[in-house]
Amino acid sequence: MPRRLLILGSTGSIGTQALEVVAAAPEGTFEIVGLAAGRQWETVVEQARTHGVRRIALAEPDAAARAGEAWTDGEVLQGAEGLVRLVLESGADLVLNALVGAAGLGPTVAALGEGIDLALANKESLVVGGELVMQLAEATGARVLPVDSEHSAIWQLLEGERGAGGGNPGTVEKLVLTASGGPFRGRRRAELADVGVEQALDHPTWAMGGKITIDSATLMNKGLEVIEAHHLFGTPYERIDVVVHPQSIVHSYVTLCDGAALAHLGHPDMKAPIAFALHHPDRVPLGLRPLDLAEVGQLTFERPDEEAFRCLALAREAGRAGGTAPCVLNAANEVAVHAFLGGRVGFLDIAGIVEATLDRVETGPVHAFDALYAADRAARDAAAALVDERA
């Protein structure tokens, strides 16, 4: 029987590459039962026609209405409720959540609540609601399969170390996430005051969407990944490190109790972690260029500069604080990055707005998802006011 796959965020970088992975798989491996995106209705409709999909969803109501007028071969759902309905009614046994931002939390909860395995590229689901999300997965028996390259690397390394039986978790001392350093690696804080949007979007090694590329430039992306790793692997924050590795060949590594380290290496290509999550437990040939270390020649590593790139430190602090603090951090960052992309604030204002929002918005423990939605709204309002003050 084919694996029934639902792709959320099908028009983005992860979603389009996932469709390529599916198309390259042997016939009968996958059946795509639904596609969803934010507003790019023309692309989703074309994808649905190509892959024989009868049901799609668009988060933006106007885009959904236009899709419904142009595409009469199936059903179009709309809004956040439509995304959740697509998850609940698609009959999927695997959901790839590649949506951007906190909008991915609802579909994540819907999938795991139904006991559906989740290939997760929406890191904000775990940043915003990691404790509740992982409790839900444990309660229903659904698997959370990481798609981010760093977390996929850690996942594969832990599988190899612990084996199918789980092994002895005490053998792993630290998880070390690698960061490219983004386009501004090596610059001091004063040198970042006047950088523009075009410079920030010019990532040296990875081709990604706009929001995640800016997050990479501020190192917020790595901070969010630290929080994500904490929840995915049940590892305390003091045992999760970050190291800057500009070549992006070592995707992450773990250190062991005997002083050894295990690393996951490969050329930067997101098809590898996408395919590992979609095909798991199988590993399939992808036709990617094999790694030749002699050809690479040199791998370098350095500590991140958390004074120049304050977002990494802010994310660590919010993660350690727990409760709604990571939710507030994420919401403020989304507002600030959107304002930066729109030319309303400067690059350094992103960290400033996030820090000020964390100071202004009261945070506390989380006992239900409603508390997260309330914290998200409060943080967005506070961050928007801060943007207005600086614009």
Short mmCIF file of all heavy atoms in Angstrom, two decimals, residues 133-198:
data_model
loop_
_atom_site.label_atom_id
_atom_site.label_comp_id
_atom_site.label_asym_id
_atom_site.label_seq_id
_atom_site.Cartn_x
_atom_site.Cartn_y
_atom_site.Cartn_z
N VAL A 133 3.09 19.71 22.67
CA VAL A 133 3.13 18.97 21.41
C VAL A 133 3.74 17.59 21.62
O VAL A 133 3.20 16.57 21.14
CB VAL A 133 3.91 19.75 20.34
CG1 VAL A 133 4.26 18.86 19.15
CG2 VAL A 133 3.10 20.95 19.87
N MET A 134 4.85 17.52 22.33
CA MET A 134 5.51 16.23 22.54
C MET A 134 4.70 15.33 23.47
O MET A 134 4.68 14.12 23.31
CB MET A 134 6.93 16.44 23.08
CG MET A 134 7.88 17.16 22.11
SD MET A 134 7.92 16.46 20.43
CE MET A 134 8.70 14.86 20.75
N GLN A 135 3.99 15.93 24.44
CA GLN A 135 3.09 15.14 25.30
C GLN A 135 1.96 14.54 24.47
O GLN A 135 1.57 13.39 24.68
CB GLN A 135 2.52 16.03 26.41
CG GLN A 135 3.51 16.39 27.50
CD GLN A 135 2.92 17.36 28.51
OE1 GLN A 135 1.77 17.78 28.40
NE2 GLN A 135 3.71 17.75 29.48
N LEU A 136 1.46 15.33 23.53
CA LEU A 136 0.39 14.84 22.66
C LEU A 136 0.86 13.68 21.80
O LEU A 136 0.16 12.67 21.64
CB LEU A 136 -0.12 15.99 21.79
CG LEU A 136 -1.29 15.71 20.85
CD1 LEU A 136 -2.52 15.27 21.64
CD2 LEU A 136 -1.61 16.95 20.02
N ALA A 137 2.07 13.82 21.24
CA ALA A 137 2.62 12.73 20.42
C ALA A 137 2.79 11.46 21.24
O ALA A 137 2.47 10.36 20.77
CB ALA A 137 3.96 13.17 19.82
N GLU A 138 3.28 11.62 22.46
CA GLU A 138 3.47 10.44 23.32
C GLU A 138 2.13 9.79 23.65
O GLU A 138 2.00 8.56 23.67
CB GLU A 138 4.19 10.85 24.60
CG GLU A 138 4.53 9.68 25.51
CD GLU A 138 5.35 10.10 26.72
OE1 GLU A 138 5.68 11.28 26.85
OE2 GLU A 138 5.65 9.20 27.55
N ALA A 139 1.11 10.61 23.87
CA ALA A 139 -0.20 10.09 24.25
C ALA A 139 -0.86 9.32 23.12
O ALA A 139 -1.54 8.31 23.36
CB ALA A 139 -1.11 11.23 24.70
N THR A 140 -0.66 9.76 21.88
CA THR A 140 -1.34 9.11 20.74
C THR A 140 -0.45 8.10 20.02
O THR A 140 -0.94 7.34 19.18
CB THR A 140 -1.80 10.16 19.71
OG1 THR A 140 -0.66 10.84 19.18
CG2 THR A 140 -2.75 11.17 20.36
N GLY A 141 0.86 8.10 20.32
CA GLY A 141 1.77 7.18 19.67
C GLY A 141 2.25 7.63 18.31
O GLY A 141 2.93 6.88 17.59
N ALA A 142 1.91 8.87 17.93
CA ALA A 142 2.37 9.40 16.64
C ALA A 142 3.86 9.76 16.74
O ALA A 142 4.34 10.20 17.79
CB ALA A 142 1.56 10.64 16.26
N ARG A 143 4.57 9.59 15.63
CA ARG A 143 5.99 9.91 15.59
C ARG A 143 6.20 11.33 15.06
O ARG A 143 5.52 11.76 14.13
CB ARG A 143 6.75 8.93 14.70
CG ARG A 143 6.70 7.48 15.14
CD ARG A 143 7.49 6.61 14.17
NE ARG A 143 6.95 6.73 12.80
CZ ARG A 143 7.61 6.35 11.71
NH1 ARG A 143 8.84 5.85 11.82
NH2 ARG A 143 7.06 6.45 10.51
N VAL A 144 7.15 12.04 15.66
CA VAL A 144 7.58 13.33 15.14
C VAL A 144 8.93 13.12 14.45
O VAL A 144 9.93 12.79 15.11
CB VAL A 144 7.70 14.40 16.25
CG1 VAL A 144 8.16 15.73 15.66
CG2 VAL A 144 6.36 14.57 16.97
N LEU A 145 8.94 13.25 13.14
CA LEU A 145 10.13 12.97 12.34
C LEU A 145 10.75 14.30 11.89
O LEU A 145 10.16 15.00 11.06
CB LEU A 145 9.75 12.12 11.12
CG LEU A 145 8.85 10.91 11.39
CD1 LEU A 145 8.42 10.27 10.08
CD2 LEU A 145 9.55 9.91 12.28
N PRO A 146 11.90 14.69 12.42
CA PRO A 146 12.46 16.00 12.09
C PRO A 146 12.94 16.10 10.65
O PRO A 146 13.53 15.16 10.11
CB PRO A 146 13.63 16.15 13.08
CG PRO A 146 13.97 14.77 13.52
CD PRO A 146 12.71 13.96 13.41
N VAL A 147 12.68 17.26 10.03
CA VAL A 147 13.08 17.50 8.65
C VAL A 147 14.20 18.54 8.57
O VAL A 147 15.00 18.50 7.63
CB VAL A 147 11.87 17.94 7.80
CG1 VAL A 147 12.29 18.37 6.40
CG2 VAL A 147 10.85 16.80 7.71
N ASP A 148 14.29 19.45 9.54
CA ASP A 148 15.42 20.39 9.54
C ASP A 148 16.72 19.60 9.42
O ASP A 148 16.87 18.54 10.05
CB ASP A 148 15.46 21.19 10.85
CG ASP A 148 14.55 22.41 10.80
OD1 ASP A 148 14.09 22.77 9.71
OD2 ASP A 148 14.29 22.99 11.87
N SER A 149 17.66 20.11 8.64
CA SER A 149 18.88 19.34 8.38
C SER A 149 19.64 19.02 9.66
O SER A 149 20.17 17.92 9.82
CB SER A 149 19.78 20.10 7.39
OG SER A 149 20.18 21.34 7.92
N GLU A 150 19.69 19.99 10.59
CA GLU A 150 20.44 19.76 11.82
C GLU A 150 19.78 18.71 12.70
O GLU A 150 20.44 17.82 13.25
CB GLU A 150 20.58 21.08 12.60
CG GLU A 150 21.37 22.16 11.88
CD GLU A 150 20.54 22.94 10.86
OE1 GLU A 150 19.33 22.63 10.70
OE2 GLU A 150 21.08 23.84 10.21
N HIS A 151 18.48 18.79 12.82
CA HIS A 151 17.78 17.84 13.69
C HIS A 151 17.68 16.45 13.04
O HIS A 151 17.70 15.44 13.74
CB HIS A 151 16.40 18.38 14.03
CG HIS A 151 16.46 19.70 14.73
ND1 HIS A 151 16.46 20.89 14.06
CD2 HIS A 151 16.60 20.00 16.04
CE1 HIS A 151 16.56 21.87 14.92
NE2 HIS A 151 16.66 21.37 16.13
N SER A 152 17.58 16.43 11.72
CA SER A 152 17.64 15.14 11.03
C SER A 152 19.00 14.49 11.27
O SER A 152 19.08 13.28 11.50
CB SER A 152 17.42 15.34 9.53
OG SER A 152 17.54 14.11 8.85
N ALA A 153 20.05 15.30 11.23
CA ALA A 153 21.40 14.77 11.49
C ALA A 153 21.49 14.17 12.89
O ALA A 153 21.98 13.05 13.08
CB ALA A 153 22.44 15.87 11.30
N ILE A 154 21.02 14.92 13.90
CA ILE A 154 21.05 14.42 15.27
C ILE A 154 20.22 13.16 15.41
O ILE A 154 20.64 12.17 16.04
CB ILE A 154 20.52 15.50 16.24
CG1 ILE A 154 21.42 16.74 16.24
CG2 ILE A 154 20.37 14.93 17.66
CD1 ILE A 154 22.77 16.55 16.86
N TRP A 155 19.05 13.16 14.80
CA TRP A 155 18.16 11.99 14.84
C TRP A 155 18.88 10.76 14.27
O TRP A 155 18.86 9.68 14.87
CB TRP A 155 16.91 12.32 14.04
CG TRP A 155 15.92 11.21 13.85
CD1 TRP A 155 15.62 10.20 14.70
CD2 TRP A 155 15.06 11.03 12.71
NE1 TRP A 155 14.64 9.39 14.17
CE2 TRP A 155 14.28 9.89 12.95
CE3 TRP A 155 14.88 11.74 11.53
CZ2 TRP A 155 13.33 9.42 12.04
CZ3 TRP A 155 13.92 11.28 10.62
CH2 TRP A 155 13.16 10.13 10.88
N GLN A 156 19.51 10.92 13.13
CA GLN A 156 20.21 9.79 12.51
C GLN A 156 21.39 9.33 13.36
O GLN A 156 21.65 8.12 13.48
CB GLN A 156 20.68 10.18 11.11
CG GLN A 156 19.53 10.43 10.14
CD GLN A 156 19.99 10.88 8.77
OE1 GLN A 156 20.77 10.19 8.11
NE2 GLN A 156 19.53 12.03 8.32
N LEU A 157 22.10 10.26 13.96
CA LEU A 157 23.23 9.90 14.81
C LEU A 157 22.77 9.16 16.06
O LEU A 157 23.39 8.17 16.47
CB LEU A 157 24.02 11.16 15.20
CG LEU A 157 24.75 11.86 14.06
CD1 LEU A 157 25.23 13.23 14.50
CD2 LEU A 157 25.92 11.02 13.55
N LEU A 158 21.69 9.62 16.66
CA LEU A 158 21.18 8.94 17.86
C LEU A 158 20.63 7.57 17.52
O LEU A 158 20.79 6.61 18.30
CB LEU A 158 20.09 9.80 18.52
CG LEU A 158 20.54 11.14 19.11
CD1 LEU A 158 19.36 11.87 19.73
CD2 LEU A 158 21.66 10.94 20.13
N GLU A 159 19.96 7.44 16.37
CA GLU A 159 19.49 6.12 15.93
C GLU A 159 20.66 5.16 15.77
O GLU A 159 20.58 4.00 16.17
CB GLU A 159 18.76 6.25 14.59
CG GLU A 159 17.27 6.35 14.69
CD GLU A 159 16.54 5.97 13.41
OE1 GLU A 159 17.19 5.80 12.36
OE2 GLU A 159 15.31 5.85 13.47
N GLY A 160 21.74 5.65 15.17
CA GLY A 160 22.91 4.79 14.97
C GLY A 160 23.58 4.41 16.26
O GLY A 160 24.05 3.27 16.43
N GLU A 161 23.63 5.34 17.21
CA GLU A 161 24.29 5.09 18.48
C GLU A 161 23.46 4.18 19.38
O GLU A 161 23.98 3.26 20.00
CB GLU A 161 24.58 6.42 19.18
CG GLU A 161 25.07 6.29 20.62
CD GLU A 161 26.42 5.59 20.75
OE1 GLU A 161 27.13 5.44 19.73
OE2 GLU A 161 26.77 5.18 21.87
N ARG A 162 22.16 4.44 19.44
CA ARG A 162 21.32 3.72 20.38
C ARG A 162 20.70 2.47 19.78
O ARG A 162 20.29 1.57 20.50
CB ARG A 162 20.20 4.65 20.88
CG ARG A 162 20.75 5.83 21.68
CD ARG A 162 19.67 6.82 22.03
NE ARG A 162 20.21 7.94 22.78
CZ ARG A 162 19.52 9.03 23.09
NH1 ARG A 162 18.25 9.13 22.73
NH2 ARG A 162 20.08 10.01 23.77
N GLY A 163 20.61 2.42 18.44
CA GLY A 163 20.04 1.25 17.78
C GLY A 163 18.54 1.21 17.94
O GLY A 163 17.91 2.03 18.61
N ALA A 164 17.95 0.22 17.32
CA ALA A 164 16.49 0.10 17.33
C ALA A 164 15.95 -0.10 18.74
O ALA A 164 14.83 0.29 19.05
CB ALA A 164 16.06 -1.06 16.43
N GLY A 165 16.75 -0.70 19.61
CA GLY A 165 16.28 -0.96 20.97
C GLY A 165 16.42 0.22 21.90
O GLY A 165 16.06 0.13 23.07
N GLY A 166 16.97 1.32 21.43
CA GLY A 166 17.09 2.51 22.27
C GLY A 166 18.44 2.67 22.92
O GLY A 166 18.89 3.77 23.19
N GLY A 167 19.16 1.56 23.16
CA GLY A 167 20.50 1.64 23.72
C GLY A 167 20.50 2.31 25.08
O GLY A 167 19.50 2.35 25.78
N ASN A 168 21.64 2.85 25.47
CA ASN A 168 21.78 3.53 26.75
C ASN A 168 21.83 5.03 26.50
O ASN A 168 22.82 5.54 25.99
CB ASN A 168 23.07 3.06 27.44
CG ASN A 168 23.29 3.78 28.76
OD1 ASN A 168 22.42 4.52 29.23
ND2 ASN A 168 24.46 3.57 29.35
N PRO A 169 20.77 5.77 26.84
CA PRO A 169 20.76 7.20 26.56
C PRO A 169 21.86 7.96 27.26
O PRO A 169 22.23 9.06 26.85
CB PRO A 169 19.37 7.64 27.04
CG PRO A 169 18.92 6.58 27.99
CD PRO A 169 19.54 5.31 27.51
N GLY A 170 22.44 7.38 28.32
CA GLY A 170 23.51 8.05 29.05
C GLY A 170 24.82 8.14 28.30
O GLY A 170 25.75 8.82 28.75
N THR A 171 24.92 7.48 27.14
CA THR A 171 26.18 7.54 26.40
C THR A 171 26.36 8.85 25.66
O THR A 171 27.47 9.22 25.29
CB THR A 171 26.28 6.39 25.37
OG1 THR A 171 25.22 6.52 24.42
CG2 THR A 171 26.18 5.04 26.07
N VAL A 172 25.28 9.58 25.41
CA VAL A 172 25.35 10.84 24.66
C VAL A 172 25.48 12.00 25.65
O VAL A 172 24.60 12.21 26.50
CB VAL A 172 24.11 11.04 23.77
CG1 VAL A 172 24.17 12.38 23.05
CG2 VAL A 172 24.02 9.90 22.76
N GLU A 173 26.58 12.74 25.53
CA GLU A 173 26.83 13.85 26.45
C GLU A 173 26.25 15.15 25.96
O GLU A 173 25.61 15.88 26.71
CB GLU A 173 28.34 14.01 26.67
CG GLU A 173 29.01 12.81 27.29
CD GLU A 173 29.65 13.14 28.63
OE1 GLU A 173 30.21 14.24 28.77
OE2 GLU A 173 29.55 12.29 29.53
N LYS A 174 26.48 15.50 24.70
CA LYS A 174 26.03 16.78 24.17
C LYS A 174 25.54 16.64 22.73
O LYS A 174 26.02 15.80 21.98
CB LYS A 174 27.15 17.83 24.21
CG LYS A 174 27.35 18.48 25.57
CD LYS A 174 28.22 19.72 25.47
CE LYS A 174 28.25 20.43 26.83
NZ LYS A 174 29.04 21.68 26.77
N LEU A 175 24.58 17.51 22.38
CA LEU A 175 24.18 17.70 21.00
C LEU A 175 24.78 19.01 20.53
O LEU A 175 24.68 20.02 21.23
CB LEU A 175 22.65 17.77 20.87
CG LEU A 175 21.81 16.73 21.63
CD1 LEU A 175 20.32 16.98 21.35
CD2 LEU A 175 22.21 15.32 21.24
N VAL A 176 25.40 19.01 19.37
CA VAL A 176 26.04 20.22 18.85
C VAL A 176 25.44 20.54 17.49
O VAL A 176 25.63 19.80 16.52
CB VAL A 176 27.57 20.07 18.74
CG1 VAL A 176 28.20 21.40 18.32
CG2 VAL A 176 28.16 19.60 20.07
N LEU A 177 24.70 21.64 17.43
CA LEU A 177 24.08 22.09 16.18
C LEU A 177 25.04 23.02 15.45
O LEU A 177 25.62 23.92 16.06
CB LEU A 177 22.78 22.86 16.47
CG LEU A 177 21.71 22.13 17.29
CD1 LEU A 177 20.55 23.06 17.59
CD2 LEU A 177 21.21 20.91 16.55
N THR A 178 25.22 22.79 14.18
CA THR A 178 26.10 23.66 13.40
C THR A 178 25.28 24.76 12.73
O THR A 178 24.13 24.58 12.36
CB THR A 178 26.86 22.87 12.33
OG1 THR A 178 25.93 22.12 11.54
CG2 THR A 178 27.86 21.93 12.97
N ALA A 179 25.92 25.92 12.58
CA ALA A 179 25.30 27.09 11.94
C ALA A 179 26.24 27.60 10.86
O ALA A 179 27.46 27.65 11.07
CB ALA A 179 25.05 28.18 12.98
N SER A 180 25.69 28.00 9.74
CA SER A 180 26.53 28.55 8.68
C SER A 180 27.12 29.90 9.07
O SER A 180 28.17 30.30 8.57
CB SER A 180 25.71 28.71 7.40
OG SER A 180 24.76 29.75 7.56
N GLY A 181 26.44 30.60 9.96
CA GLY A 181 26.86 31.95 10.32
C GLY A 181 26.15 33.01 9.49
O GLY A 181 26.22 34.20 9.81
N GLY A 182 25.48 32.60 8.42
CA GLY A 182 24.73 33.53 7.60
C GLY A 182 25.63 34.48 6.81
O GLY A 182 26.85 34.34 6.79
N PRO A 183 25.02 35.46 6.15
CA PRO A 183 25.79 36.36 5.27
C PRO A 183 26.67 37.35 6.02
O PRO A 183 27.54 37.98 5.42
CB PRO A 183 24.70 37.09 4.48
CG PRO A 183 23.50 37.04 5.36
CD PRO A 183 23.58 35.74 6.09
N PHE A 184 26.46 37.51 7.34
CA PHE A 184 27.19 38.54 8.08
C PHE A 184 28.18 37.96 9.07
O PHE A 184 28.62 38.65 10.00
CB PHE A 184 26.20 39.46 8.80
CG PHE A 184 25.18 40.07 7.90
CD1 PHE A 184 23.83 40.03 8.22
CD2 PHE A 184 25.54 40.65 6.69
CE1 PHE A 184 22.87 40.58 7.38
CE2 PHE A 184 24.60 41.20 5.84
CZ PHE A 184 23.26 41.17 6.18
N ARG A 185 28.52 36.70 8.89
CA ARG A 185 29.48 36.06 9.79
C ARG A 185 30.77 36.87 9.86
O ARG A 185 31.31 37.30 8.84
CB ARG A 185 29.79 34.64 9.29
CG ARG A 185 30.77 33.87 10.16
CD ARG A 185 31.01 32.48 9.58
NE ARG A 185 31.64 32.53 8.28
CZ ARG A 185 32.96 32.60 8.09
NH1 ARG A 185 33.79 32.64 9.12
NH2 ARG A 185 33.45 32.63 6.86
N GLY A 186 31.27 37.07 11.07
CA GLY A 186 32.52 37.81 11.27
C GLY A 186 32.35 39.30 11.48
O GLY A 186 33.30 39.99 11.88
N ARG A 187 31.15 39.82 11.22
CA ARG A 187 30.93 41.25 11.44
C ARG A 187 30.62 41.53 12.90
O ARG A 187 29.96 40.76 13.58
CB ARG A 187 29.78 41.76 10.57
CG ARG A 187 30.03 41.67 9.08
CD ARG A 187 29.06 42.57 8.34
NE ARG A 187 29.08 42.32 6.90
CZ ARG A 187 28.45 43.07 6.01
NH1 ARG A 187 27.73 44.12 6.42
NH2 ARG A 187 28.51 42.79 4.72
N ARG A 188 31.10 42.68 13.37
CA ARG A 188 30.76 43.10 14.72
C ARG A 188 29.42 43.82 14.71
O ARG A 188 28.90 44.20 13.66
CB ARG A 188 31.86 44.02 15.26
CG ARG A 188 33.20 43.30 15.39
CD ARG A 188 34.24 44.18 16.04
NE ARG A 188 35.50 43.48 16.20
CZ ARG A 188 36.57 44.00 16.78
NH1 ARG A 188 36.54 45.25 17.23
NH2 ARG A 188 37.68 43.28 16.91
N ARG A 189 28.89 44.04 15.90
CA ARG A 189 27.55 44.62 16.03
C ARG A 189 27.46 45.96 15.30
O ARG A 189 26.48 46.23 14.60
CB ARG A 189 27.20 44.78 17.51
CG ARG A 189 25.80 45.31 17.74
CD ARG A 189 25.47 45.35 19.22
NE ARG A 189 24.16 45.96 19.46
CZ ARG A 189 23.01 45.34 19.32
NH1 ARG A 189 22.99 44.07 18.95
NH2 ARG A 189 21.88 45.97 19.55
N ALA A 190 28.46 46.81 15.46
CA ALA A 190 28.43 48.14 14.85
C ALA A 190 28.38 48.06 13.32
O ALA A 190 27.86 48.97 12.66
CB ALA A 190 29.63 48.95 15.29
N GLU A 191 28.91 46.98 12.77
CA GLU A 191 28.95 46.82 11.32
C GLU A 191 27.63 46.32 10.75
O GLU A 191 27.47 46.20 9.53
CB GLU A 191 30.07 45.85 10.93
CG GLU A 191 31.46 46.33 11.32
CD GLU A 191 32.53 45.28 11.05
OE1 GLU A 191 32.45 44.19 11.67
OE2 GLU A 191 33.41 45.54 10.22
N LEU A 192 26.66 46.02 11.62
CA LEU A 192 25.38 45.47 11.18
C LEU A 192 24.28 46.53 11.15
O LEU A 192 23.18 46.25 10.70
CB LEU A 192 24.95 44.33 12.10
CG LEU A 192 25.87 43.10 12.13
CD1 LEU A 192 25.44 42.14 13.23
CD2 LEU A 192 25.85 42.40 10.77
N ALA A 193 24.60 47.73 11.61
CA ALA A 193 23.57 48.76 11.77
C ALA A 193 22.92 49.15 10.44
O ALA A 193 21.72 49.43 10.40
CB ALA A 193 24.16 49.99 12.46
N ASP A 194 23.68 49.16 9.37
CA ASP A 194 23.17 49.68 8.10
C ASP A 194 22.96 48.62 7.03
O ASP A 194 22.74 48.96 5.87
CB ASP A 194 24.12 50.76 7.56
CG ASP A 194 24.23 51.95 8.51
OD1 ASP A 194 23.21 52.32 9.10
OD2 ASP A 194 25.34 52.48 8.66
N VAL A 195 23.01 47.33 7.39
CA VAL A 195 22.83 46.30 6.36
C VAL A 195 21.39 46.32 5.88
O VAL A 195 20.45 46.59 6.63
CB VAL A 195 23.22 44.89 6.88
CG1 VAL A 195 24.67 44.86 7.29
CG2 VAL A 195 22.31 44.45 8.01
N GLY A 196 21.20 46.01 4.59
CA GLY A 196 19.87 46.06 3.99
C GLY A 196 19.26 44.70 3.79
O GLY A 196 19.88 43.66 4.03
N VAL A 197 18.02 44.71 3.32
CA VAL A 197 17.26 43.48 3.11
C VAL A 197 17.94 42.58 2.09
O VAL A 197 18.08 41.37 2.30
CB VAL A 197 15.82 43.81 2.67
CG1 VAL A 197 15.08 42.54 2.30
CG2 VAL A 197 15.08 44.55 3.77
N GLU A 198 18.38 43.16 0.98
CA GLU A 198 18.99 42.36 -0.07
C GLU A 198 20.25 41.66 0.43
O GLU A 198 20.48 40.48 0.11
CB GLU A 198 19.33 43.25 -1.27
CG GLU A 198 19.80 42.48 -2.49
CD GLU A 198 19.98 43.36 -3.71
OE1 GLU A 198 19.41 44.46 -3.75
OE2 GLU A 198 20.70 42.93 -4.63
#
